[in-house]
Amino acid sequence: MIEIKNLKKHYNEGKDNECKAVDGIDLVIGDGECVAITGKSGSGKTTLLKMIACLDRPTEGQVIYDGEDIFSLTKTEQADFRNKKTGMIFQDYMLLEDMTCLDNVLLPTAFNKDKAAAKRAEELIGSVGLKEKTVEKVKNFSGGEKQRTAIASALINNPSVIIADEPTGNLDNENRETITDMLLSINKSGKTVIIVTHDADVAAKCRRRIVLADGKIISDTAADKAEA
């Protein structure tokens, strides 16, 4: 379970140009939920996601995973948390273009000394439909293929939480549906999935939709078209 308590992220605090990107959010996300976080540009959704992912520190408040405040951990412990507990998927893929699909998927295991990682990586690459491109450099991939590689990489350490920031933002309609369906399938396997998206169709497929405005939650409901 993820508990977010009075979470704030303020920039230029106390100055005339102070920006309250996230302003006192309280939120609980249960194990195995599929949550879409939506809102207009500047509403605070990506800032919130970065703090949930332990990529940015809050000005105030807590993000608690299974009873432990991640911001009370040392930097080394936080890095270990990010590597093992969460899998991140970004709009711009965050892959090393001159490396192969396999090498990109294996990157999160670099410090784990996991002898079974290569076999698991090949299985994940096959599961996202890229078996024939395992040793091809990702610079030759389409956007959809890059995002599928990124999904396999996010799963390689078997995290319990998948966090996706606009994962379909750079994709055409066909690939958008493919990536969305993959994320829903990952959720059905038991993992918690949190998706920041501006796409109403993607959000409607999630079981829960949270809407932000001015750094605050203004709506938290079950999506009308959420899949059973």
Side-chain angles (χ1 to χ4, degrees), residues 80-216:
D80 191 59
F81 163 83
R82 287 190 294 268
N83 187 249
K84 296 178 179 178
K85 185 76 173 182
T86 67
M88 286 292 303
I89 301 165
F90 299 92
Q91 180 175 351
D92 55 359
Y93 320 124
M94 297 295 285
L95 301 172
L96 297 180
E97 295 275 314
D98 284 322
M99 291 177 64
T100 67
C101 176
L102 177 61
D103 287 339
N104 269 283
V105 173
L106 282 170
L107 273 177
T109 71
F111 301 103
N112 295 352
K113 297 181 180 179
D114 185 350
K115 295 180 180 179
K119 181 180 179 181
R120 189 164 67 252
E122 290 179 357
E123 291 172 350
L124 284 168
I125 290 168
S127 74
V128 298
L130 294 174
K131 183 177 180 179
E132 302 302 319
K133 297 196 172 188
T134 299
V135 295
E136 186 173 339
K137 290 184 178 180
V138 299
K139 67 182 179 182
N140 300 319
F141 285 12
S142 68
E145 290 168 341
K146 288 179 180 179
Q147 197 60 293
R148 283 186 272 160
T149 301
I151 288 174
S153 181
L155 292 170
I156 188 66
N157 284 330
N158 194 29
S160 57
V161 182
I162 296 296
I163 299 173
D165 188 9
E166 299 285 5
T168 62
N170 286 337
L171 304 178
D172 59 28
N173 287 340
E174 181 179 353
N175 279 302
R176 181 186 66 183
E177 290 184 11
T178 297
I179 296 303
T180 302
D181 289 344
M182 283 185 178
L183 291 171
L184 294 174
S185 179
I186 290 167
N187 172 246
K188 287 179 180 178
S189 76
K191 297 185 185 300
T192 303
V193 174
I194 305 170
I195 305 171
V196 156
T197 182
H198 67 276
D199 190 317
D201 291 335
V202 173
K205 290 186 177 182
C206 298
R207 294 180 179 230
R208 182 178 175 191
R209 183 169 56 224
I210 295 167
V211 183
L212 300 186
D214 299 322
K216 298 179 182 291

